[in-house]
Amino acid sequence: MTQWRPPLPLVGAWLGLLALLALTVTLAYVPLGTGNSVVALSIGTIKAGLVAAIFMELRHRSGLTLIFAGAGLFWLGILLWLGLMDFMTRT
Amino acid sequence: MSEKNYLTTDYTLKSWFLTTDHKRIAILYFASLIFFFFIGGAAATAIRIELATPQADLVSSDIYNRLFTMHGIIMVWFFLIPSIPNTLGNFIVPLMIGARDLAFPRLNLMSWYIFMLGGCTTLFAIFAGGVDTGWTFYTPFSTLYSNSYVIVAAAGVFIAGFSSILTGLNFIVTIHRLRAPGLTWYRLPLFLWSLYATSVILVLATPVLAITLILIATERFFGVGIFDPRIGGDPLLFQHLFWFYSHPAVYIMILPGMGVINELVSCYSRKQVFGYKFVAWASLAIAAVGFLVWGHHMFVSGQSLVASLVFSFMSFIVAVPSAIKVFNWTATLHKGSIHFDAPMLYALAFIGLFTIGGLTGLFLACLAFDVHATDTYFVVAHFHYIMVGGMVTAYFGGLHYWWPKMTGRHYSEYWARTAAVLIFFGFNLTFFPQFILGAEGMPRRYHVYPPEFQVWNVLSSGGAAILAVAYLMPLLYLGYSAFFGARASANPWNATGLEWQTSSPPPEFNFTTQPVVTRAPYQYNGDFQAEPQNA
Ligand code: HEM
Ligand SMILES: [Cu+2]
C-alpha cells in the first residue's frame, strides 16, 4: 500500500515510550501530592500522542481517517475525564 | 426459474462457506443467530418455569445463576448486537446503496468466522461448566471468587468483539465510498443512517470492552492489582470501563431497529418520513450522547455523588433524540393511508413498546427513583421492553418486510399477522407484571421469593409460554414459504429504495445495470398493492 519506509521512527518511538514509562515509574515515587496525577496524566498524553502519530501512522493520513482516529481519541478523553471526575470527587 | 440468482448460482457447501457474497454471508449469520436465539431462549424458558413458584423446585441457586448468566451472555452478545446489522444489514446495505457488494467482501466473511469462533468459545464455557457472574462479569466477583469458566466465556466475547469492529468498519467504508450516482447523504434511506451511527459506536466502543476483558484475565491469572482494592486496584474501575462500552452497546442494539421502523412506517402508510433530517441526525446524536451516560448504571455502586448527578442529567438528554424519532414516526402515520400488513403490525408494536421502555428509562435515570429500583424487576422490565419489545420486534418486522427480497417468495400473510399479534400480547403479559414486581421490591437474579409475589410471576411465566409459541411460528411459516411460497416480484410492496429495483432474489452481483438515484427517499404517493399471497 504505502511505500516502504525505514523502521527508524518506529524504533525511536518505542525507545521514547520506554523512556517515558521509566519516567512515570520514577516520578510515582516522588511525593508531589496532586502533582503526581498531573505529571502522570501529562506523560500519558504524550505517550498516547506518540502511539497515535507514529504507530497508528496518523501523521501520514488525512481527511476522514484523521476524523475517525481523532474521534476515537476524543472519546477516550471523555472516558478518562468523566471516570476521573468520579474518582476525584469520591468521599 | 430462468435466471440465476444468488441462491442458485452454486449449490455446493464450499460455495457457501467460502462465499464473499454479502447476501450469502447474511444468510450464514441468519442461520447462526437462529441457533443462538434458541439457546438463549431455552435458558429463558427454564428461568420462567423456575419462577412460576416461590420455592426452588426446578433448579438449585447455583444452576439458576448459571442459567441467567447464559441467557444474558448469549442474548446480548450473540443475538441482539449482531442481529439486524449482520443479517438484514449485510443483505440490504449494498442493495440499498446500489453497490455490488460491501467494500471489503472477504473481511465480511472473516467477520462471520470470527463471530462463530467467539460464539463457540463461549458455548464451550457454558456447557463445560457454566459461568455464574451475570452477563456483566462484575469484579471482584469475576476475578476473585467465581470458580467458573469466566475467562473462557470472556475470551469468547472478546473474540466476537473483533467481528463487531470489522463489520462496523465495513459498513462505514461502504456507505462512504460505494453509494450509487446521485445517492447523496440526504437521499440515503434512514436505515442506512442508523446503521452508520451504529457502526461508529461499534468501532469506537468495542475496543474498550476488549481491553476490559483482557484486564479481567490479567488480574485473574497474574494477580495484578487492577480491580481488587487489596492489591491496589479499584473495583469501580471495572464498572466504568464495562459500562463505557455497554451503555453505547444498548444503542448498538436499538439503533438498527429504529432504522428498520423508518422503512416500515413510511412504506405501509405510503408517506414520506416526517422530519427526515431530524430523524437522520437523531441517530448520530444518540450515538454521540450515548457515550456520556454510562454512569447511570452505577448510581448505587459507590461512585461519587457529583458523578451520579452529572450522569443522571446526561441520561435525560440522551432521551431527547429517541423521543424525536418516536414523534416523527407518529407524525408520519398521521393522515397516512395505513396498511396493516404483518411488517406494519410489528412496526406499530415496536413504537408502543419502545416508548414504554424509553419512558421507564427516564424513571431510572432519576437518581432517587433508581436507588429504589436498582436490581429489581423494574430494571429487568425496562430493558426487556426495549431490547425484546423493541429490537426483537423490529428484527421480525424487517425480516418479514425484506423476506420476499431475500427468498423471492411470499409467506402466509394470515399466519404472519397472527404471529405478530400473539408476540405483542405474549410480550406484554410477560414483561408488564415485572414493572409491578419491581416497584413492589422483588429483586432480580433470585430464584426464590416471598409468596406474595407469586401472582405476578405466574402471569409473567404464562405470558412467556405464549411468547415462546409466537416466536416459533415464524420459523414454521417462513420456513415453509422459503420452499413453497408464491413467487414474489421485484417490488411486491411497491416500495421505494434501490433494493426493490432488482429482481427477488437478487442476482449474484445485485444489479444488472448500475442504478442511478434522482429523487429524495420515500417518495410514496398512496399507491399500494401488495401482491396476492398464499394463505
Ligand atoms: C431512552 C433512554 C434510556 C434511558 C434514559 C435509560 C436509562 C437506564 C438506566 C438509568 C438504567 C440503570 C438502571 C439500574 O441498573 O438501576 C438502565 C438500565 C438498562 N437499560 Fe436503559 N435507558 C434508556 C434506553 C435504553 C435502551 C435503548 C436500551 C437497550 C436497547 C436499554 C437497555 C438497558 C439495559 C440492558 C439495562 C440494564 C443493565 C443491567 O443492569 O444488566 N436502555 N437504563
Ligand atoms: Cu445505560
Side-chain angles (χ1 to χ4, degrees):
Chain A
M1 283 199 315
T2 42
Q3 78 279 46
W4 185 83
R5 243 178 280 109
L8 217 58
L10 293 188
V11 177
W14 180 60
L15 290 176
L17 283 173
L18 285 183
L20 285 171
L21 177 66
L23 192 65
T24 317
V25 175
T26 323
L27 285 180
Y29 287 97
V30 183
L32 297 171
T34 36
N36 278 113
S37 321
V38 177
V39 168
L41 285 173
S42 317
I43 301 182
T45 314
I46 300 176
K47 283 191 212 153
L50 271 181
V51 172
I54 299 184
F55 286 114
M56 289 167 73
E57 302 217 345
L58 286 182
R59 59 199 175 121
H60 299 295
R61 306 286 157 205
S62 62
L64 212 59
T65 319
L66 272 190
I67 293 184
F68 265 85
L73 291 171
F74 178 71
W75 265 290
L76 179 67
I78 288 181
L79 167 65
L80 293 175
W81 165 52
L82 285 176
L84 275 181
M85 176 194 66
D86 163 39
F87 193 78
M88 304 275 192
T89 53
R90 241 182 256 165
T91 44
Chain B
M1 188 167 295
S2 52
E3 290 190 23
K4 283 198 179 275
N5 61 53
Y6 81 100
L7 291 168
T8 52
T9 40
D10 199 344
Y11 292 97
T12 58
L13 269 185
K14 196 175 145 216
S15 75
W16 276 92
F17 285 106
L18 293 182
T19 181
T20 51
D21 183 344
H22 67 101
K23 301 182 287 303
R24 286 195 164 202
I25 297 173
I27 303 288
L28 290 178
Y29 270 115
F30 181 53
S32 335
L33 291 189
I34 294 177
F35 171 71
F36 285 117
F37 190 61
F38 265 89
I39 298 186
T45 312
I47 292 172
R48 273 329 314 172
I49 295 178
E50 165 61 47
L51 289 179
T53 62
Q55 311 87 24
D57 16 40
L58 184 67
V59 293
S60 66
S61 52
D62 198 45
I63 301 286
Y64 187 79
N65 292 344
R66 285 160 209 259
L67 274 178
F68 71 68
T69 302
M70 158 173 166
H71 170 68
I73 291 182
I74 298 276
M75 285 305 201
V76 168
W77 274 300
F78 298 102
F79 181 74
L80 287 170
I81 288 184
S83 59
I84 291 185
N86 286 327
T87 56
L88 300 177
N90 237 327
F91 199 97
I92 297 300
V93 167
L95 289 165
M96 258 190 177
I97 63 175
R100 289 160 60 98
D101 205 318
L102 287 175
F104 307 116
R106 264 173 293 187
L107 194 70
N108 196 18
L109 179 66
M110 195 168 118
S111 308
W112 180 74
Y113 276 103
I114 296 178
F115 173 74
M116 289 312 284
L117 181 66
C120 293
T121 310
T122 301
L123 279 185
F124 168 76
I126 283 171
F127 290 110
V131 186
D132 57 0
T133 58
W135 73 281
T136 49
F137 300 115
Y138 269 12
T139 59
F141 186 59
S142 57
T143 49
L144 281 179
Y145 302 108
S146 165
N147 44 20
S148 54
Y149 283 68
V150 180
I151 295 300
V152 186
V157 173
F158 175 81
I159 297 171
F162 284 92
S163 160
S164 288
I165 296 175
L166 296 181
T167 305
L169 207 68
N170 218 339
F171 282 177
I172 290 175
V173 177
T174 308
I175 295 176
H176 271 282
R177 311 296 307 235
L178 300 185
R179 281 173 286 134
L183 190 55
T184 58
W185 280 90
Y186 283 138
R187 285 181 183 169
L188 277 186
L190 288 164
F191 183 52
L192 294 182
W193 274 93
S194 69
L195 277 184
Y196 184 79
T198 309
S199 305
V200 171
I201 309 180
L202 282 170
V203 171
L204 293 182
T206 316
V208 178
L209 177 74
I211 292 168
T212 312
L213 294 172
I214 288 193
L215 290 180
I216 288 197
T218 314
E219 177 158 314
R220 226 183 137 103
F221 278 142
F222 305 112
V224 177
I226 300 166
F227 305 122
D228 179 6
R230 284 179 315 177
I231 40 180
D234 183 342
L236 276 196
L237 180 60
F238 175 82
Q239 295 189 29
H240 277 298
L241 292 170
F242 179 82
W243 287 111
F244 183 80
Y245 164 79
S246 290
H247 183 82
V250 306
Y251 292 106
I252 297 175
M253 300 177 224
I254 199 69
L255 274 169
M258 295 170 152
V260 168
I261 299 308
N262 292 319
E263 306 299 315
L264 304 188
V265 164
S266 74
C267 173
Y268 293 100
S269 49
R270 313 314 288 173
K271 273 182 65 191
Q272 210 162 352
V273 172
F274 180 87
Y276 169 92
K277 286 189 187 174
F278 277 91
V279 182
W281 282 99
S283 292
L284 290 184
I286 288 178
V289 185
F291 277 95
L292 304 177
V293 304
W294 76 87
H296 65 211
H297 296 272
M298 302 169 61
F299 286 158
V300 299
S301 66
Q303 79 178 351
S304 78
L305 186 61
V306 179
S308 289
L309 289 174
V310 171
F311 283 122
S312 173
F313 176 72
M314 298 289 200
S315 305
F316 284 94
I317 300 201
V318 76
V320 174
S322 307
I324 289 180
K325 294 198 171 219
V326 174
F327 289 133
N328 283 294
W329 294 323
T330 321
T332 308
L333 289 169
H334 181 62
K335 293 202 174 151
S337 103
I338 296 178
H339 298 263
F340 294 99
D341 291 60
M344 185 60 157
L345 293 182
Y346 284 107
L348 294 173
F350 173 98
I351 297 176
L353 300 177
F354 175 76
T355 306
I356 297 183
L359 286 177
T360 50
L362 285 178
F363 290 25
L364 294 171
C366 295
L367 202 41
F369 180 83
D370 186 69
V371 172
H372 171 73
T374 309
D375 277 332
T376 68
Y377 266 83
F378 195 93
V379 175
V380 178
H382 155 69
F383 65 74
H384 280 89
Y385 259 82
I386 293 189
M387 302 203 300
V388 184
M391 183 62 174
V392 182
T393 305
Y395 184 57
F396 275 70
L399 191 61
H400 284 78
Y401 178 62
W402 282 302
W403 188 258
K405 181 54 63 185
M406 296 169 73
T407 60
R409 307 272 189 168
H410 279 295
Y411 49 82
S412 151
E413 184 64 28
Y414 171 80
W415 284 110
R417 289 186 201 190
T418 313
V421 172
L422 263 187
I423 286 180
F424 183 74
F425 178 71
F427 176 85
N428 279 296
L429 190 57
T430 309
F431 292 103
F432 201 82
Q434 299 187 2
F435 280 125
I436 299 168
L437 278 172
E440 287 184 348
M442 175 161 165
R444 65 194 277 205
R445 298 183 168 172
Y446 278 61
H447 74 316
V448 289
Y449 54 85
E452 60 263 32
F453 290 140
Q454 189 174 12
V455 182
W456 299 115
N457 272 303
V458 168
L459 283 179
S460 183
S461 294
I466 297 175
L467 193 56
V469 173
Y471 278 146
L472 284 175
M473 283 168 57
L475 196 67
L476 297 180
Y477 64 75
L478 287 182
Y480 176 84
S481 80
F483 298 99
F484 309 108
R487 299 252 180 233
S489 69
N491 189 358
W493 317 122
N494 214 344
T496 66
L498 291 183
E499 77 269 30
W500 303 106
Q501 294 190 10
T502 187
S503 54
S504 309
E508 192 178 1
F509 292 109
N510 295 350
F511 297 94
T512 33
T513 49
Q514 167 77 66
V516 176
V517 182
T518 53
R519 300 189 301 170
Y522 310 115
Q523 300 283 329
Y524 290 107
N525 34 28
D527 50 336
F528 185 79
Q529 333 151 308
E531 289 167 2
Q533 282 129 50
N534 58 329

